[in-house]
Amino acid sequence: MDRRNFIKAASAAGCLAPFSGISNLACATQAPSHPLLITVFLRGGADGLNLVAPTSDPNYVAARPPELRVLESGEYAGSLIEHTLDPTAGFRLHHSAGPLSSLYQAGRLAIVHAVGLTDGTRSHFVAQDLIERGINDEKHMTRIDSGWLARSLADVNGLVSGYSATPATAFAMHGLASALSTPDISTALGIPWGKATSDLLRALNIEGTTPVHRAGLKALQLLESVERNIPRDAAGKIVPYVPSGARSHEGSGDFSRTLSSVARLAKMDVGLSAACVDHGGWDTHEGQQGRFANQVRQLSLGLAAFHDDMAAAGRKIIVVVMTEFGRRLRANKSGGTDHGHGGCWLVLGDTVVGGRMYGRWPGLTTQALDQGVDLAVTTDYRAVLSEVLRASGLSTKGTFPDWRPVTSLGLFESL
């Protein structure tokens, strides 16, 4: 196999993450002392007004049919939230979010409403790109070519300091040399064609000094080290992952299986500091009722099982659940909602001052809505991510190049 075909094969297998700014590898053999940071991106623009809803607001009731609202009573009544931004709004979690409600009541989950980009774009691609680059203005996209997490993790020493549990490396980690990118490690990380390819890679790169040579050797070392840590039975087959907590990761689809890969890697003590996970399918222009309930159910079950697993294993975590924007207040004629502005983010885990809502609730009167149609953004998304990074023991220096914090949200005990 020649060099070009090897690189193609390794990339197709998810072996090589983007490798700008390669540096010498310093391997960590113990788990970091700070909480593991996990970002969960709800791609598609999750309807925050259907996840955490102001059920008593007459503007909310008038704008949507019952099937696109969180209800106050009946079989599909949502869970009432205490310590809210507006006591008169009657905030409730969606009825499919039972496990999240339990975490909120236990003080492990915080809610940030009316959060997002101050840039009012309604393009999925632009909004996601801006957030993953850690910026707010489209004119800066050409000069920022790395992700916010990659910049924060730049000085972290670890064999696998970042894990992108996605088919392609999440742009938030673009530029991080010590990043592993693969959606699933339950079937191992074998390089195509096995030992022959490994030997070829080592021979091709051992004498080289270019970034490509160093990236090839680093990828090989990373994959082989992770492979050695994956438990196998006497026949050499990978042992199915068994969570430490009482709840199983099964039953909530691909999202839960992806989180089990994060959990398995976190327990390997390979220096993992952050992981990126996607949970797509939130672009609900039509037929939102059933689709949204299923999405929320998967999200809730997956996060609760992962939380219990990590707690039982003694591994501290901080999970931030984000989305590129919310959806319009008023329902459309197709049983769905269209692209909006302000969204709803969640923060879960250790040192989180949970059981509370954060930010400022702007209200849903026509005068308070953005352009008269959308929930307004009152909290810049970077305020959330900045506090999440600091609570995780990670750097915020240069992470958000065109933004400086004004006041603290107070999401964490230690800040």
Side-chain angles (χ1 to χ4, degrees), residues 307-320:
H307 171 272
D308 289 359
D309 187 1
M310 293 291 94
R315 187 69 163 92
K316 293 181 179 180
I317 60 166
I318 293 174
V319 183
V320 56

Side-chain angles (χ1 to χ4, degrees), residues 110-403:
I111 297 169
V112 188
H113 223 316
V115 63
L117 290 155
T118 55
D119 181 304
T121 181
R122 288 185 174 84
S123 163
H124 293 298
F125 306 106
V126 172
Q128 291 177 23
D129 206 359
L130 288 170
I131 289 174
E132 293 200 282
R133 291 173 193 263
I135 58 178
N136 187 71
D137 196 324
E138 293 181 48
K139 69 174 181 285
H140 294 155
M141 289 172 65
T142 56
R143 68 178 180 85
I144 304 295
D145 61 357
S146 62
W148 66 276
L149 258 178
R151 295 192 292 275
S152 182
L153 292 167
D155 296 326
V156 174
N157 291 326
L159 176 62
V160 186
S161 58
Y163 172 38
S164 181
T166 52
T169 305
F171 199 91
M173 286 193 179
H174 187 89
L176 179 64
S178 54
L180 173 66
S181 179
T182 180
D184 188 4
I185 63 173
S186 64
T187 55
L189 300 173
I191 297 176
W193 300 288
K195 186 177 183 299
T197 304
S198 299
D199 291 344
L200 175 62
L201 175 61
R202 189 171 284 104
L204 286 170
N205 292 283
I206 194 69
E207 300 295 335
T209 59
T210 68
V212 172
H213 289 99
R214 296 198 299 274
L217 289 176
K218 178 173 285 190
L220 181 62
Q221 181 182 11
L222 185 153
L223 293 174
E224 289 180 341
S225 297
V226 173
E227 277 277 316
R228 285 195 297 269
N229 279 281
I230 298 177
R232 287 175 167 79
D233 60 20
K237 294 183 179 180
I238 293 178
V239 176
Y241 178 73
V242 178
S244 302
R247 302 189 212 219
S248 171
H249 284 273
E250 297 178 359
S252 52
D254 292 340
F255 176 62
S256 188
R257 286 191 291 272
T258 300
L259 286 175
S260 70
S261 286
V262 176
R264 189 192 285 265
L265 193 62
K267 295 176 183 179
M268 290 183 187
D269 293 345
V270 292
L272 185 66
S273 293
C276 291
V277 177
D278 281 355
H279 184 25
W282 299 86
D283 195 15
T284 51
H285 288 283
E286 67 283 319
Q288 177 171 317
Q289 181 183 15
R291 291 171 56 194
F292 190 85
N294 184 56
Q295 292 289 101
V296 173
R297 187 177 301 109
Q298 290 185 33
L299 177 69
S300 301
L301 290 172
L303 288 177
F306 180 74
H307 171 272
D308 289 359
D309 187 1
M310 293 291 94
R315 187 69 163 92
K316 293 181 179 180
I317 60 166
I318 293 174
V319 183
V320 56
V321 181
M322 63 181 72
T323 191
E324 66 264 34
F325 45 61
R327 306 192 79 80
R328 294 241 173 130
L329 168 62
R330 189 166 296 279
N332 62 31
K333 295 180 180 180
S334 300
T337 51
D338 299 321
H339 298 177
H341 196 188
C344 181
W345 289 24
L346 310 175
V347 183
L348 163 70
D350 294 274
T351 76
V352 174
V353 182
R356 300 182 186 179
M357 294 180 71
Y358 291 84
R360 181 177 67 82
W361 181 245
L364 299 179
T365 64
T366 301
Q367 295 79 7
L369 294 174
D370 180 63
Q371 300 183 43
V373 293
D374 292 330
L375 178 66
V377 170
T378 58
T379 298
D380 190 302
Y381 79 96
R382 292 164 293 187
V384 180
L385 296 184
S386 177
E387 292 193 21
V388 163
L389 285 174
R390 288 192 289 138
S392 302
L394 299 174
S395 174
T396 58
K397 185 179 180 180
T399 303
F400 306 110
D402 61 348
W403 178 81

